[in-house]
Amino acid sequence: MTTFGYTVEAPTLWPELLELARELDQHSNFDSFWIADSLVPNGPLDDPKLETYTALAAVAQATSRIRLGVHVTANAYRHPAVLAKIITTLDQISGGRMILGIGAGWPGENRRFGIDFWKRRERVERLDESLQVIKLLWTQPHPTFEGKYYRLDGPPFTPPNVQQPHPPILIGGGSDAMLRVMAKHADMVSPMLPIAEARPKIEAYARELGRDPSAIRWEGGDSLFLHDDPDVVERVVRFAMEQYNQTEDQVRAGMFGSVDDVRAAVRRQVDAGADDINIFQLPRVHIESLLRFSEEVIPQFR
């Protein structure tokens, strides 16, 4: 079955975020709710941006059904042992609804906040080691680990996760080195390139590692602008082209237009191999469009 998630990319303050999470949890067909991980906003620098995991802990208390995650955690400024404890705490708070979404990181917030940022190769190597550390803490009593960047010396780790053997791990990225990390560690992948291009590589790497490629779920998705008036859609397409420095074809490749247009866009991604669809909205959250998507698009793919 295709599952559907929503990632909060647009700037939101807590009252709006709380209303959105409750609405999607109680009155929608969405399966998961995510917050984009960044210390700086996706847009003007003075837009509001809450710290992701602090906000998600509050969301976990305010919801009861929908699965929760960060899309995707920046490994470049969180120590893996601390992140493992954060996810487990949220798995406890949410009653077993957490997903670990993670990637190697990106330079924006590190540079602006003066946090060390490593070169690409080191970022990928650190992500691989981080996931080894996290999975050891989640599955072994008092584990030991001696890596190039991280180490464990028999630490305790209680309480355990609600989900066993551990919460699902989603990895986002697009380089060949990242595809290898996905094949090694991911239960779910969110590739930054077409599934048709990424799948043969990840499946080959998985087989080399002795993993069953069919156990990995594939995520698609894009930005959503659902509106019945073609003139309004056209204006938004032009705005998005200018705002995000994209071509018209790039913008229209997203989920833009009428319900029929958006259904067709989802169908193309599902036919291309997406098991899960994760959408977002920019430059602002529009709950009415999300509920229309929930009621008029999602049921077509159940």
Side-chain angles (χ1 to χ4, degrees):
M1 181 184 75
T2 305
T3 74
F4 287 82
Y6 179 72
T7 296
V8 183
E9 286 266 9
T12 51
L13 291 173
W14 172 243
E16 182 184 11
L17 185 67
L18 176 61
E19 177 189 4
L20 175 64
R22 283 176 168 166
E23 188 71 21
L24 296 189
D25 182 62
Q26 298 172 13
H27 303 120
S28 86
N29 291 308
F30 280 94
D31 302 287
S32 59
F33 181 86
W34 307 71
I35 304 177
D37 190 31
S38 178
L39 298 177
V40 297
N42 190 340
L45 285 179
D46 291 330
D47 280 349
K49 183 68 181 78
L50 299 171
E51 196 286 313
T52 310
Y53 277 106
T54 311
L56 201 62
V59 167
Q61 275 286 280
T63 58
S64 60
R65 176 190 64 85
I66 208 162
R67 302 211 72 182
L68 305 171
V70 169
H71 206 293
V72 289
T73 305
N75 185 63
Y77 55 83
R78 289 191 178 88
H79 190 281
V82 177
L83 180 59
K85 181 63 74 170
I86 290 170
I87 298 296
T88 297
T89 301
L90 283 165
D91 204 46
Q92 288 277 335
I93 292 170
S94 67
R97 291 183 285 132
M98 273 302 296
I99 299 168
L100 169 58
I102 193 167
W106 47 92
E109 42 268 312
N110 290 65
R111 182 180 67 249
R112 291 187 179 277
F113 286 94
I115 302 170
D116 288 344
F117 192 71
W118 318 295
K119 292 183 178 180
R120 182 189 297 271
R121 179 176 178 178
E122 182 174 345
R123 293 202 306 276
V124 176
E125 290 176 344
R126 281 180 178 268
L127 177 61
D128 179 34
E129 279 197 16
S130 289
L131 287 163
Q132 293 179 62
V133 166
I134 290 167
K135 291 196 290 187
L136 282 170
L137 288 168
W138 282 351
T139 60
Q140 301 294 326
H142 305 285
T144 58
F145 179 82
E146 192 69 44
K148 184 177 179 180
Y149 306 105
Y150 306 111
R151 61 185 297 271
L152 296 172
D153 186 18
F157 195 89
T158 57
N161 288 296
V162 175
Q163 299 175 87
Q164 292 296 318
H166 56 72
I169 298 171
L170 176 144
I171 303 176
S175 70
D176 194 66
M178 281 296 297
L179 298 185
R180 289 179 179 273
V181 175
M182 292 175 176
K184 183 176 180 180
H185 295 290
D187 303 298
M188 309 158 68
V189 295
S190 182
M192 297 174 64
L193 64 163
I195 291 176
E197 184 178 343
R199 186 187 289 272
K201 295 181 178 181
I202 289 181
E203 291 186 344
Y205 296 148
R207 282 190 287 268
E208 287 177 14
L209 294 164
R211 292 194 68 197
D212 178 2
S214 67
I216 300 172
R217 292 185 66 88
W218 290 79
E219 182 185 83
D222 216 315
S223 57
L224 172 72
F225 183 79
L226 196 161
H227 203 287
D228 295 321
D229 187 334
D231 291 337
V232 173
V233 174
E234 181 67 22
R235 288 199 298 272
V236 172
V237 167
R238 297 298 161 188
F239 169 82
M241 289 169 60
E242 181 178 345
Q243 185 79 7
Y244 305 111
N245 193 31
Q246 292 184 326
T247 66
E248 181 173 356
D249 287 344
Q250 286 174 320
V251 173
R252 290 190 180 277
M255 298 176 185
F256 273 60
S258 67
V259 168
D260 286 341
D261 292 331
V262 172
R263 282 178 185 155
V266 174
R267 173 54 62 192
R268 287 193 294 271
Q269 295 208 19
V270 170
D271 290 346
D275 301 297
D276 309 305
I277 301 293
N278 198 313
I279 63 171
F280 61 92
Q281 295 172 304
L282 289 171
R284 65 186 181 90
V285 173
H286 193 264
I287 291 181
E288 291 79 7
S289 292
L290 289 179
L291 293 180
R292 281 198 67 193
F293 183 92
S294 168
E295 294 165 4
E296 300 180 45
V297 177
I298 292 178
Q300 303 296 312
F301 297 89
R302 295 304 198 199

